[in-house]
Every structure is written in C-alpha cells, then in structure tokens.
Amino acid sequence: MSHTPIPSDLDSPIPLRRTRRGSGRTTLADVARVAGVSAQTVSRVLNSPETVPVATLEHVRAAIAQVRYVPNRLAGGLASGRSKLVAALVPAIASPVFQETIQALTQSLASKGYQLMLGESGYDDADEIQLLENLISRGPDGIVLTRVVQSELARQRLASSGIPVVETWDLTDTPVDMLIGFSHEDVGSAVADILLDRGCQAPALISGDDPRARRRRTGFVNRLIARGCIGRESDLPVVEISAPAHFGDGRRAFVALMDKGCHVDGLHCSTDALALGALIEARERNIAVPDQLAVVGFGDQVTSAYTSPALTTVRIDGRRMGQLAAQLILERAEGKPVSARIQNVGFEVVQRASA
Amino acid sequence: MSHTPIPSDLDSPIPLRRTRRGSGRTTLADVARVAGVSAQTVSRVLNSPETVPVATLEHVRAAIAQVRYVPNRLAGGLASGRSKLVAALVPAIASPVFQETIQALTQSLASKGYQLMLGESGYDDADEIQLLENLISRGPDGIVLTRVVQSELARQRLASSGIPVVETWDLTDTPVDMLIGFSHEDVGSAVADILLDRGCQAPALISGDDPRARRRRTGFVNRLIARGCIGRESDLPVVEISAPAHFGDGRRAFVALMDKGCHVDGLHCSTDALALGALIEARERNIAVPDQLAVVGFGDQVTSAYTSPALTTVRIDGRRMGQLAAQLILERAEGKPVSARIQNVGFEVVQRASA
DNA sequence: CTGAAAGCGCTAACAT
DNA sequence: ATGTTAGCGCTTTCAG
C-alpha cells in the first residue's frame, strides 16, 4: 500500500516486496539515462524523428549507438497495438507456385520494417483454424492467405479479429476483406481455346485435386462442351492427382492415360510440373510434341521455358500479387485510403513450342 | 498524485485523470469474470493445465469458448520473456535449395505451437545486420541461419542477444552458437572422384559465386590436382555465374564453355538448375551424355531424377537440417539439455545416368 | 518541444 | 489449488 514509506537517507532495510528481474537487456530507460532525457524523447527519436529537433536527435542517437540499444517490439506492439508483423498462410511452402508471392511479400514488407510470419496450412482444412488462431494471437497488422478461406468458422474468426485480411490466388464473391486474384475458370477456358484453335480433336486432362485445380478443370470442360468438341464432361479422359503433384506424378499419369488406350492429341496438365513429366514420357514413347500431341501446362515455372520443346503454359504473376497484398496491408496499417479492395490481376497465355 | 482521494459513495465527478482505451478485444480478465475465477487461474489453464484440477479446467475452458477468447501473445511474451517465435534468415526464399529446410522448420515448430518469422538476407551482407536487429527486436526464442554468419558485427549482436542461434548448411570452426551442416569442400572432392573414377580426363566447372559454391569449387580443384588430373587451378576451365543461378544461366554457361573451344568430357555444375541447363544445351548440340560428356550437379532437386538422362548429383538433406535446428531450439527454449551443439549431417552422392 | 503518469494484457513471484 | 500484486518495456495521453 505504501509508496516508499518515508524517503530516508538510509538504505531502507525493509524488503521492498518482491521484484521481477528484468531481462537484463538494455532498455529505453537506459538510453534515456545516458542521454539525459526522458524515455519519451528516446521513443520519439525512434518513432517520429520529424518531431524532434536535430540537436536532440543526434545526441540521443549517439546514446543509442553507445549502449547498443535494440528496441523490444513486443513491448512496443503491446503498447501501441501495432506489431509490424504480417502473417501469411500458404498451402505448401515447398510448392514453387507460391514462392514468388512469398518472396515479394517478404521483400515489400521488409522495406518498411515489417516482418513476415509464415504458416503452412496444407491442402486440407483440418487445422486451418488452429493455425489462424496462433497467428492472430501474435497481433499481426495483416494476414495474407494464398487461397480463399474455406471454413465458415475461420471466416468468422478472421472477420471478428479486426485484422486486415487479403485473400490471394483466387476470386470469390464473398471475400472476408480484401482480394487479389484471378479466375481459375477463365484459365481453364483459355487453355481449351489454345488446344481447339490449333485443331485438337481429342483433348485430355491431368489435374490436381485441390479446389482451384478443380475450378480450372470446370472451365476447361465447359469450354470444350461449348465449342462442341465433347458432348458432356464424362467424354473427357481425366487423370486426377492428389496435391501436391510432382514431376513424377505427371509421368505416371501420362502412362495411365496411354494405358487406358485413349487416343489423345491435346493434353492440359494443371501444373507445369505435371506437364514436364508428361513431356518426358511422351518423348520416351516417341510421341512428337506438338505435332502428334499438344501439351499445355499452368504456372510458368522458370524451367518451363527451357524444356524441349519449350512448354506452352499460363503465366500467373505471383510476384505482383505479393506486392499488391503487401501494399494493401501497409496502406491499412498506416490508415491511408486503400487502393482497391478487390483486384483481378488476370493471367497470360505463354505460347511456346509445345502447343 | 492522489489515489482516488476519498472513497465516496457518489460517482466521483472528479475526472479520473486520463485513461487509455483497451483494444476492445476480449482479454484474460473477461474470461476470468465470466468463469468466476482469477485471471491467474485462466492463465494456468492455458499454460500449465496439469496444475489445475479437471473440474476447474473444464469450467474455465467453457468460458474461454463462450467469449471466443484469443490470447494476446505479445503481452504474454513480454511478461514471460518467451515469445514462441523463431526467426529464420535465408539468402533467397525462392531458391529451391532451402525450401525443404524452411518447410521442415515451419512444420516442426508449428507442432509445438511455435511460429516461424522469415527473413531474406540476399547473397550479399549489406543489410544483414539491419535485418538481424529487426528480427532480434521481436524477441524470438531462437534464430536459424541458413548459412554461416559473415560479419563480425552481426556475430557480436547475435552473441550478445543471448538468443539461441543455429547456423545451418555449412560448417565452421567458429560457430556463433550451434551448428548443423556439411562440408562443401568434401562435396567438391566427392564430385571430382566421380568424374575421375569414370575416366574423365578433361573436367570443367560451371559454378555459382557465393561463398559456399566457392568452397565446393576449392574442394573440386584440390582433388583434381591431388589425383594428377590437372597441374594447377588455372588448368581447369571455369565459368562463374552470379547467384542466384537459374536454368537458363546453365545453358548459357555451357555455350560459353564450348565457345572457348575447350575439349570437355566431364562437367560439374554447382547446382542442379545449372546442370539441367547444360544437359539441354548438350542435347541440342548432339553431345552424348554421359558417353561424350559426364555431368554432375548439386542439390538433387525433385526434377533431377526425371531428366533424360537422369542427373547424377549430390543430395543434401535439407529437411533433416530443418528438423534438427527446430529440435535444438525447442530444447533450449524449454531448458532441456541440448542433444549436440555441432552436427555434420553429411551428404550423399546420387549416381544416375548422367555420370 | 519535452516530460510525467498511466496502462497495453499478460505472467512470475509470493501468499494463502 | 487459487488469488494478489507488481511489473515486463514500451507508447499514449495530457500537461507544461
């Protein structure tokens, strides 16, 4: 109850209750003491230098350097409500598909002193919520998802957290908050057009089983039907591969397709990795690409331009999505008006030798 | 000055100084109120459930669920000194080389409720320190570096931070703290042996320019000299590529090598990506691999097993390094004895068709 | 322009 | 087994 009962000259022998030992690390207060100013002034030097006269600025900065002060942003974040942390949730970290996005995010954020926290959700939604809660509990200033949120519970948690959310790599009519993506259905249609335009009559599909690959498949099938190439969905030979799909899967899938005895003159693979596998297997079987078989991938991996024949594919600008997502979150975090909550970045058909 | 001057029954009209508005989010105290217990008990339910009787446990958990409480780990971390955050610093996020390590780290940490913060250092050390300070300021419980720390200043900062540090993907006699890696020199020697053992007489090298690639080069050259294949370093035709090296660079480098008019019957490329490029270009030029030219890569990317001919290469267990790094940090964080501060995980030569 | 006080939401230390 | 109290290190608010 008593505040330092009586200011005596003697060292108080009365045990001053208990005390928690500080971490021992240098704090703002230490800097303030050395510089002969208040902690507040040091804080201002760090966070709003424009409000401090140059003389003070330099003096305090010298003190900071002298004591090798490293701020504690956990404390800063707690006090200010801004952590300068951004969370990103990716289905698979090792998938080349999302790397440009992750890299662009990291770089765009780092340039403003923000840091990325990375979480891996996997392709099923089992612990999506747990992961999200763990991320939210760290008070990020924004959350970037490289897909549309699946479960209703997760959507609610995100919405009620009040944290800016950007969903990417997809479109939806009901985004949680902000959205930067492209239409997977349209990609499917565009690929169908490539094959039909070059005269293919017997198309086939090797597809992943994640929701987005499924939607590309839908777009592909619908366009084939619309243009009279096939009568109904079941007319299209399809091999489905469970995500994450690799090179070897494409090779095996192509074998499976051939074993079915299908005649195929146009093949769409739902990732470039699968397409490369198909390409290799076709060569082994002396099937000429593109003359006997046209092949179209998706994703435009770095390697795809250098295969022989070079792979015709669909290029997605993952880097741009990462940059835009970072921009939206930074704008929100700094209270600026947000450029555009919903953006369709589209895609680009890359015509190469394989189709 | 005054503490609630006179406890009166009336609502004090005296303005109670100022007050900061809480974030509005549900706090421990809210849960405590609903459950009719103290905040401390709720904290114990969350952090050391084994010390709480089952009845209380269930009661409090019900309250937590009811008010949809999400803990604030910024506050928790500040109070306890443990953030359950681990920082990782990678030269290039998009490089396939480090993906397995990042993924393994993320997964191993997530299983214990820890979260990964990712930083990209680039291949030069310009802002290594700034990045490190930014990461350190977030109070991580551990820092994983996918290389040996370069600058002395960075080493000091790391050491004085008191945070457990694991350097990976390399060996050194003077680790900052813990170390999990393999010898790049030994990799170079091993590759030289592969080529020499199959009778190559005119080896060449396409190499990256980062410090580790340079050390593989040294090991390669020294073994060639030791076995009498070349007389001195300058006898070896070398094309150096600046990191990050891609597929296309390998192709161009091989062109450069041929343009020099070198006769080459054995080629080592310091990454698989470079080797794949060389393989493609060799095919274009009707150079038979491995009969006229043996090719050995480094890294064993997923695609390397499926090229034609399949690539002989050196496999590094990035996943294992990530798991071990996570394990060491978790052990330290939980005050357990640490398994082994320094571990050489070695590497494996993967003999395939190209050599 | 600078400083003092209060408190962000939580856990450690002590007390019961 | 549970509660009380005092901070963790910082920023916000208000007062000069």
Side-chain angles (χ1 to χ4, degrees), chain A residues 276-294:
Chain A
L276 293 176
L279 236 40
I280 296 280
E281 185 61 27
R283 192 208 320 271
E284 296 293 307
R285 294 174 177 243
N286 290 313
I287 298 172
V289 175
D291 295 338
Q292 292 173 261
L293 176 72

Side-chain angles (χ1 to χ4, degrees), chain B:
Chain B
M1 323 289 165
S2 57
H3 277 223
T4 326
I6 297 149
S8 97
D9 321 346
L10 305 157
D11 284 358
S12 166
I14 301 158
L16 289 152
R17 316 277 297 167
R18 57 323 231 325
T19 245
R20 278 166 77 182
R21 77 297 102 167
S23 61
R25 277 179 38 194
T26 323
T27 72
L28 255 200
D30 298 323
V31 178
R33 205 169 304 121
V34 170
V37 296
S38 75
Q40 196 43 235
T41 301
V42 180
S43 171
R44 279 192 271 254
V45 167
L46 258 19
N47 300 312
S48 46
E50 68 283 0
T51 69
V52 179
V54 192
T56 328
L57 211 59
E58 286 176 356
H59 180 227
V60 171
R61 281 187 174 148
I64 289 175
Q66 186 192 323
V67 303
R68 298 207 190 309
Y69 171 64
V70 178
N72 179 337
R73 288 190 204 252
L74 253 65
L78 177 60
S80 69
R82 274 167 289 109
S83 61
K84 291 210 162 194
L85 268 173
V86 172
L89 203 56
V90 190
I93 292 170
S95 163
V97 174
F98 303 113
Q99 275 150 32
E100 287 196 338
T101 303
I102 299 175
Q103 185 164 38
L105 263 175
T106 309
Q107 290 172 347
S108 303
L109 293 172
S111 68
K112 304 274 183 185
Y114 283 68
Q115 204 62 51
L116 190 76
M117 273 187 312
L118 194 58
E120 185 175 47
S121 61
Y123 281 96
D124 68 315
D125 318 333
D127 19 47
E128 188 182 46
I129 294 161
Q130 278 218 316
L131 232 167
L132 271 175
E133 274 200 4
N134 191 320
L135 290 171
I136 291 173
S137 75
R138 280 151 159 136
D141 293 339
I143 300 181
V144 179
L145 303 156
T146 54
R147 61 172 186 188
V148 164
V149 188
Q150 317 274 345
S151 76
E152 192 49 41
L153 184 54
R155 295 174 58 84
Q156 284 173 5
R157 276 286 201 282
L158 280 171
S160 70
S161 74
I163 301 169
V165 172
V166 187
E167 290 164 285
T168 64
W169 275 89
D170 207 346
L171 294 181
T172 169
D173 292 333
T174 54
V176 173
D177 184 359
M178 297 174 281
L179 182 65
I180 297 173
F182 60 93
S183 163
H184 289 263
E185 281 89 349
D186 288 356
V187 168
S189 313
V191 173
D193 283 338
I194 298 173
L195 293 177
L196 295 176
D197 288 352
R198 72 189 319 281
C200 291
Q201 305 196 327
L205 177 67
I206 296 176
S207 174
D209 69 345
D210 59 289
R212 286 182 302 244
R214 287 241 170 76
R215 257 165 319 105
R216 294 198 290 279
R217 171 180 175 167
T218 303
F220 185 68
V221 168
N222 288 347
R223 180 59 56 96
L224 291 177
I225 294 172
R227 290 184 59 174
C229 174
I230 58 174
R232 54 176 202 279
E233 173 151 15
S234 56
D235 293 342
L236 179 74
V238 174
V239 179
E240 199 171 83
I241 305 288
S242 59
H246 287 310
F247 209 76
D249 297 319
R251 203 165 168 171
R252 279 187 291 277
F254 189 73
V255 171
L257 213 53
M258 294 295 102
D259 288 353
K260 281 185 186 173
C262 306
H263 166 68
V264 175
D265 64 3
L267 176 66
H268 174 33
C269 298
S270 78
T271 69
D272 275 13
L274 290 172
L276 294 175
L279 236 40
I280 296 281
E281 185 61 26
R283 193 211 317 274
E284 296 293 308
R285 294 174 176 243
N286 289 314
I287 298 172
V289 175
D291 295 338
Q292 291 173 262
L293 176 73
V295 177
V296 181
F298 169 78
D300 195 25
Q301 283 180 221
V302 274
T303 49
S304 302
Y306 298 96
T307 54
S308 58
L311 187 65
T312 291
T313 186
V314 174
R315 165 142 187 79
I316 305 301
D317 198 341
R319 163 157 288 273
R320 176 121 186 278
M321 280 189 274
Q323 286 167 339
L324 287 173
Q327 186 190 324
L328 288 181
I329 283 175
L330 293 177
E331 283 170 355
R332 275 280 193 91
E334 283 154 23
K336 293 186 202 154
V338 166
S339 349
R341 297 170 69 96
I342 300 185
Q343 297 180 59
N344 183 340
V345 298
F347 56 87
E348 185 192 345
V349 169
V350 183
Q351 286 277 3
R352 297 204 186 97
S354 75

